């Protein structure tokens, strides 16, 4: 799961906490100013998804058809994803 909360909140204050993502493959997520990207594991490979942090619009970005590995990042202009996959069994 991926959650967000106001930084200004007291450490024990749960007001304003919001769950953004139910499932994420290990540590494969990255946030930009506008968008959260993450990988969900599927029966074969995975799915890179995105969430617009302002509008809450969800989008399927890319289907990974090979076994997943650790690693996901996005270019500063958000035009390219870099992800890890296993090319061996």
């Amino acid at each position: 799961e991926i959650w967000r909360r106001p930084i200004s909140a007291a450490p024990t204050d749960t007001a304003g906490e919001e769950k953004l993502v139910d499932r994420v493959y290990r540590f494969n997520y990255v946030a930009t100013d506008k968008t959260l990207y993450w990988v969900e594991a599927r029966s074969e490979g995975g799915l890179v998804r995105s969430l617009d942090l302002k509008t809450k619009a969800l989008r399927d970005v890319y289907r990974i058809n090979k076994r997943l590995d650790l690693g996901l990042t996005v270019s500063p202009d958000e035009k390219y994803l870099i992800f890890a996959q296993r090319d061996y069994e």
Side-chain angles (χ1 to χ4, degrees):
E1 296 178 343
I2 298 177
W3 292 73
R4 77 170 168 184
R5 67 184 303 263
I7 291 175
S8 60
T12 57
D13 185 4
T14 59
E17 285 185 354
E18 178 183 13
K19 182 165 53 169
L20 300 176
V21 175
D22 287 321
R23 298 179 308 177
V24 60
Y25 179 73
R26 302 183 82 181
F27 305 107
N28 288 358
Y29 65 92
V30 61
T32 69
D33 290 340
K34 302 178 226 173
T35 311
L36 176 66
Y37 297 89
W38 73 97
V39 175
E40 288 183 5
R42 301 294 174 151
S43 59
E44 291 185 20
L47 180 64
V48 180
R49 303 196 74 199
S50 70
L51 172 69
D52 183 300
L53 295 171
K54 184 176 182 182
T55 67
K56 303 290 192 282
L58 286 170
R59 184 167 70 97
D60 294 346
V61 178
Y62 183 71
R63 174 86 172 143
I64 302 170
N65 292 316
K66 296 189 177 183
R67 291 180 57 197
L68 300 174
D69 211 342
L70 292 177
L72 178 70
T73 192
V74 64
S75 63
D77 61 5
E78 294 191 49
K79 290 184 179 181
Y80 298 95
L81 284 171
I82 298 172
F83 60 91
Q85 68 182 19
R86 292 185 197 179
D87 291 328
Y88 60 89
E89 290 302 316

